[in-house]
Amino acid sequence: MINLLEGKPGLDLLPLDRVARSTQAALAGNDVTRRLLQYGDEFGNPAYLDSLAKFLSESYGTQVQPDQLCATPGASLSLQHLLTMLTRPESATRFAFFQDPTYHFVYQIYNGAGFKKSQFIGIPDDSNGLDVDALETFLEQHLSKDEAKSEFYSAVLYCVPTHANPTSSILSAERREKLVQLARQYNVLVICDDVYDFLTFEGVTPKRTVVFDLESMSPSDKPTVISNGSFSKILAPGMRAGWIEAHPSLIQRVGSCGSFISGGSPSNFANEMIAPMLVSSDPELSLHHNIAHLRSKLHERLKKLWAAIETHLIPLGCSSTLPSGGYFVWVQLPPGVDRDLLEKVMDEQPERDIVIGWGNLFGVPGDANKDRRRFKDHVRLCFAYLPSDTLDKGVIRLAELIRMAKSQ
């Protein structure tokens, strides 16, 4: 079975030796029993947050302060926590906006936090990311600017600004700046999944949306943007560790919650395992070096996948855009070919065992979006999970299926 759907790193990309070395370093440190096995500080160990702030400052090239950070148990649980603490879907928070298409499991997280599908609104995504002008039009028609006085947010927007899942689009700097302005005017919480930022293969990592918020705030402004970070894509998903970055007032509000106060930092043990990697200059240990290695390997796989797409899919009438980073390639199928037709062909050819990320998995569901395009004529191909030679074979199999579909 060739699985082009899985949006996770291949086992060969998981740095077991580096994690083992970091664990040994953590266990050999001072005050190890208290640091590793006792309840942790609710925001995260202050020394760890200092190291994380330094690591992020070096990686992004912009200053990050420790009081702008809070430790989390990964981006998914962090998202649910943010929705629980900052929104009220049954009353104050009327709309949940999503980049359309976007990460498909996020909709279940919103359902679990109390949002109904009738509140889901898709905002189109194009080559420059989320269509902020379309968002503005909706906000002007459905929200008023005086709602910014409310304690909770009137709406919440989820997006992946850099190397988006599934399209790999990048939100332009102009749109990021305008998004912050709109969010501030209409009391919208913007949650940015910034998990692919460091997997930029060409060019520089874009300036984060949260930085636009922090830099433009006046003392009377309410912060509107949260950067949701994770070690899942740059180290190992099983660590279940991440961070949020936002204005200190938002950090205080999110971190000073009952569960964090009662149980301490939700990822204290994992953070202590990671901590030595943040400060080490040793290539065998450093997280900087691990990220550089990942970028090299992933870029190599992308080039292999893209060569196969150009050779086997483009001549059949498919279209796509070469990403500059991340995990995914978003491919539009030839005219007249969609998921229904391809699945029919696959049922007739069971030996062509291939799993594909069907485009309509990623479209925003809900009554408000029933007339929106469902992306059945697209597929998402992940190049992180499989080695290069298997990626090539997968594209060849997909091309065979498309050729058969076109002949029917």
Side-chain angles (χ1 to χ4, degrees), residues 309 313 318-320 329-333 377-381:
I309 289 172
L313 297 185
C318 294
S319 59
S320 185
V329 178
W330 186 238
V331 179
Q332 184 168 13
L333 298 170
D377 60 344
H378 284 73
V379 294
R380 188 198 74 176
L381 306 180

Side-chain angles (χ1 to χ4, degrees), residues 4-15:
L4 294 171
L5 169 63
E6 290 287 1
K8 59 187 179 184
L11 294 179
D12 61 309
L13 298 180
L14 300 180

Side-chain angles (χ1 to χ4, degrees), residues 211-344:
V211 178
F212 285 94
D213 187 33
L214 294 170
E215 289 181 345
S216 63
M217 279 186 62
S218 69
S220 61
D221 284 332
K222 181 179 180 180
T224 61
V225 181
I226 296 177
S227 174
N228 199 19
S230 175
F231 291 103
S232 292
K233 302 299 189 294
I234 60 174
L235 182 60
M239 299 298 290
R240 302 317 309 141
W243 67 91
I244 58 171
E245 178 190 356
H247 188 273
S249 63
L250 265 183
I251 295 296
Q252 286 293 322
R253 189 172 171 187
V254 171
S256 299
C257 66
S259 60
F260 283 24
I261 293 172
S262 173
S265 169
S267 55
N268 185 64
F269 189 85
N271 290 341
E272 292 300 321
M273 299 298 101
I274 294 169
M277 300 187 207
L278 298 176
V279 298
S280 178
S281 59
D282 180 358
E284 298 299 321
L285 187 61
S286 167
L287 186 56
H288 283 300
H289 283 81
N290 190 68
I291 293 172
H293 172 74
L294 281 175
R295 278 199 296 259
S296 175
K297 288 292 185 181
L298 290 171
H299 195 191
E300 176 183 310
R301 292 184 181 185
L302 170 59
K303 287 188 285 188
K304 184 70 171 180
L305 178 65
W306 187 254
I309 289 172
E310 287 189 313
T311 301
H312 303 289
L313 297 185
I314 301 300
L316 293 177
C318 294
S319 59
S320 185
T321 300
L322 176 64
S324 60
Y327 263 32
F328 309 108
V329 178
W330 186 238
V331 179
Q332 184 168 13
L333 298 170
V337 177
D338 63 8
R339 174 178 181 172
D340 293 338
L341 185 54
L342 279 181
E343 286 191 324
K344 179 176 180 295

Side-chain angles (χ1 to χ4, degrees), residues 146-166:
D146 60 3
E147 297 189 42
K149 300 175 182 178
S150 171
E151 175 187 4
F152 294 99
Y153 291 88
S154 305
V156 56
L157 183 147
Y158 170 87
C159 61
V160 186
T162 302
H163 312 311
N165 180 1

